[in-house]
Amino acid sequence: MVITKEDRMGCSVHLAEDEKSVIILDQTQLPNRQVYLKLETAEEIYDAIKVLAVRGAPAIGICAGYGMYVLSLKKEPENYDIFKKAMHDEGEYLISSRPTAVNLSWAVNRMLGVVDANADKPVPEIVGLLHDESIAIQNEDIEMCARISEYGLSLVKDGDGILTHCNAGPLATSKYGTAIGPMLLGKERGINFRVFADETRPLLQGARLTSYELEKAGVDVTLICDNMASLVMKNGWVQACFVGCDRIAANGDFANKIGTSGVAILAKHYGIPFYTLGPTSTIDMNCPTGDDIRIEQRNPDEIKEMWYKEPMALSSVKCYNPAFDVTDHELLTAIITDQGIIYPPFDVNLRKLFEK
Ligand code: MRU
């Protein structure tokens, strides 16, 4: 697959034309405003990830990759040890912005691997290698999403109803996306699905982003509140559930946006196949089970007041606001990756995938 600069520039995260900053489409402003942000400092990159201006596991990884390159441009070029220490410090800082999606640390560590492996080279040369590595991260994501979309498409047929949760489309990745990829690829090929998008409380990624992306692409999408999924399934309108993932453990348990495990439990009840779709960069073989995945806790105001003219609960009321939950691998029909469709037993088959 040939990926051009134009392909990359068309993505929600990319390197600026002058290659000195990271450009992101500010996802907090969608669907009402298309605003692009220019990120130049470690603080700006950290904040953009933290507030979800850039979000979705692969997009966060791409942003971190480019971020590390952009930050390397500002470092002292004379001394390798000082350069290396500064890059590691900033990498650690970026990783601390959000803990659950493995793609963030995966991308930062991949960039640091380039720094560590080239101690014998002058710093400007290492900076050049970091540039190439950050581009490679995005190119690979574009390729992986295309392959995931093909595999996902092979599991559904024209006219099927598909339910999705959160947003795992191009905004969260690169072209096509993961969970939404088969729907977009299908549309291009004249295969039509009827998609149900959970609004995805509390930050409404389903309403603000998924229904926006699908509607713009001409896909038949119906927005539902999260608590309507059961009825929609009972009505017989859903033939498959496609969701993204933020970290897949070695036994197939996976973290995704809060509410995903509830969808999986409902799907099991109604006998509907339930799939997670993600690039191999989201599989963390160092994480044995879902119990080992750190779940991000977020500000209670996101539940109580963020979307309302006035607070919807007393300020003294306690809130529990985890950003993700873990879906047990036993609820999962298959994991759709860029390397193929992985069926149970997941521990055995994921290990085989990485041994390859
Ligand atoms: O908190 P978010 O919006 O970053 O959560 C995103 C998700 O849970 C996505 O489903 C996941 O990152 C996969 S994106 C291809």
Side-chain angles (χ1 to χ4, degrees):
M1 187 174 186
V2 180
I3 295 162
T4 62
K5 186 173 174 185
E6 284 63 43
D7 292 325
R8 289 191 294 275
M9 298 286 275
C11 295
S12 67
V13 185
H14 56 264
L15 201 52
E17 184 72 55
D18 67 3
E19 304 202 323
K20 289 190 176 137
S21 59
V22 189
I23 305 294
I24 62 164
L25 175 58
D26 182 354
Q27 297 191 42
T28 64
Q29 308 227 27
L30 290 171
N32 299 317
R33 285 167 297 277
Q34 280 215 8
V35 176
Y36 286 86
L37 303 178
K38 185 175 175 180
L39 312 176
E40 286 173 304
T41 66
E43 289 71 26
E44 285 168 353
I45 300 163
Y46 177 101
D47 288 346
I49 296 173
K50 183 92 194 161
V51 303
L52 274 57
V54 54
R55 52 146 296 285
I60 294 171
I62 295 165
C63 181
Y66 282 140
M68 290 295 283
Y69 163 62
V70 164
L71 296 174
S72 76
L73 294 169
K74 300 183 173 43
K75 301 280 167 288
E76 176 61 60
E78 309 306 329
N79 183 314
Y80 171 80
D81 290 330
I82 296 175
F83 174 75
K84 179 179 167 181
K85 164 111 181 41
M87 291 304 292
H88 275 262
D89 287 350
E90 278 179 337
E92 209 174 296
Y93 172 63
L94 293 188
I95 288 174
S96 70
S97 58
R98 291 192 82 189
T100 305
V102 68
N103 306 58
L104 174 56
S105 54
W106 170 85
V108 168
N109 288 329
R110 187 166 154 173
M111 297 296 281
L112 290 175
V114 171
V115 174
D116 296 352
N118 290 287
D120 55 329
K121 299 199 173 68
V123 168
E125 204 176 311
I126 302 175
V127 170
L129 294 172
L130 288 171
H131 168 269
D132 297 351
E133 195 71 11
S134 64
I135 303 264
I137 289 174
Q138 183 168 27
N139 283 353
E140 286 167 25
D141 191 71
I142 293 173
E143 274 179 345
M144 288 194 287
C145 286
R147 284 204 291 268
I148 290 167
S149 305
E150 290 284 0
Y151 286 123
L153 191 56
S154 72
L155 296 168
V156 277
K157 57 180 193 322
D158 192 50
D160 275 356
I162 304 174
L163 187 137
T164 189
H165 190 77
C166 195
N167 172 265
L171 287 165
T173 58
S174 47
K175 200 174 172 195
Y176 294 118
T178 56
I180 286 177
M183 307 161 199
L184 297 176
L185 189 62
K187 183 75 200 170
E188 280 179 12
R189 297 190 182 161
I191 304 166
N192 291 299
F193 302 111
R194 184 177 182 200
V195 181
F196 293 92
D198 282 353
E199 69 173 348
T200 317
R201 286 271 297 158
L203 294 182
L204 307 180
Q205 289 92 334
R208 295 187 301 103
L209 310 174
T210 298
S211 69
Y212 167 84
E213 287 187 314
L214 292 174
E215 184 84 4
K216 288 225 156 203
V219 175
D220 176 352
V221 58
T222 303
L223 180 64
I224 58 171
C225 297
D226 298 346
N227 53 8
M228 297 170 189
S230 176
L231 182 61
V232 167
M233 290 185 189
K234 188 171 187 220
N235 288 347
W237 295 346
V238 180
Q239 279 64 55
C241 298
F242 281 0
V243 298
C245 41
D246 286 84
R247 190 181 296 247
I248 300 176
N251 71 342
D253 294 348
F254 72 99
N256 191 49
K257 179 50 56 189
I258 188 72
T260 302
S261 67
V263 175
I265 291 165
L266 290 175
K268 178 124 185 153
H269 178 78
Y270 290 109
I272 298 166
F274 179 89
Y275 303 100
T276 188
L277 298 87
T280 36
S281 53
T282 304
I283 302 170
D284 183 359
M285 293 304 281
N286 295 319
C287 177
T289 73
D291 290 343
D292 304 295
I293 301 176
R294 198 173 137 210
I295 300 294
E296 175 187 5
Q297 300 293 326
R298 295 188 64 87
N299 189 332
D301 290 347
E302 291 178 349
I303 299 179
K304 285 199 273 195
E305 53 188 76
M306 187 157 168
W307 305 105
Y308 308 108
K309 272 206 180 115
E310 49 188 352
M312 284 295 126
L314 292 176
S315 61
S316 56
V317 168
K318 280 189 290 185
C319 278
Y320 174 50
N321 186 18
F324 301 95
D325 61 19
V326 171
T327 299
D328 192 291
H329 63 275
E330 289 191 358
L331 299 168
L332 192 51
T333 307
I335 302 170
I336 303 170
T337 76
D338 48 284
Q339 299 296 319
I341 304 173
I342 315 291
Y343 289 98
F346 294 115
D347 53 350
V348 174
N349 292 335
L350 285 173
R351 202 171 47 243
K352 276 191 196 152
L353 178 77
F354 279 84
E355 276 163 11
K356 262 204 285 176

